[in-house]
């Protein structure tokens, strides 16, 4: 869950509050406190220069699916 929060903060550039909400969509049934803790840990990783996590290409790397993913997660410019 922390890795997903890191992705949301670093790659999708969502606000911390929105990241907490998005984690509820990715991990239904998780407690708010757990999601909040993960976002705080992810924020620390992103902003303290921690090494990037090994990741696999996501659907956002393909231009054809970026808009759909962007809309699905409620992100706006």
């Amino acid at each position: 869950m922390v890795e997903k929060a890191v992705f949301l903060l670093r790659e999708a550039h969502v606000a911390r509050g929105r990241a907490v909400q998005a984690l509820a969509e990715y991990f239904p049934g998780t407690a708010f406190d757990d999601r909040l803790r993960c976002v705080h840990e992810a924020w620390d990783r992103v902003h303290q220069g921690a090494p990037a996590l090994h990741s696999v290409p996501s659907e956002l790397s393909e231009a054809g699916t970026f808009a759909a993913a962007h809309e699905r997660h409620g992100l706006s410019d």
Side-chain angles (χ1 to χ4, degrees):
M1 193 161 40
V2 173
E3 290 79 12
K4 181 58 79 174
V6 168
F7 167 79
L8 291 168
L9 295 172
R10 181 182 286 153
E11 305 300 328
H13 306 288
V14 300
R16 285 185 283 182
R18 179 64 186 114
V20 173
Q21 293 172 347
L23 288 179
E25 297 169 19
Y26 285 109
F27 304 98
T30 56
F32 175 80
D33 290 339
D34 291 336
R35 295 190 318 269
L36 186 62
R37 179 188 50 78
C38 288
V39 169
H40 281 281
E41 184 176 334
W43 179 265
D44 289 343
R45 285 187 190 181
V46 169
H47 289 90
Q48 291 180 356
L53 300 171
H54 174 60
S55 62
V56 296
S58 76
E59 63 186 19
L60 298 180
S61 63
E62 295 183 30
T65 58
F66 179 80
H70 198 265
E71 182 176 319
R72 181 174 64 246
H73 295 294
L75 306 174
S76 61
D77 294 336

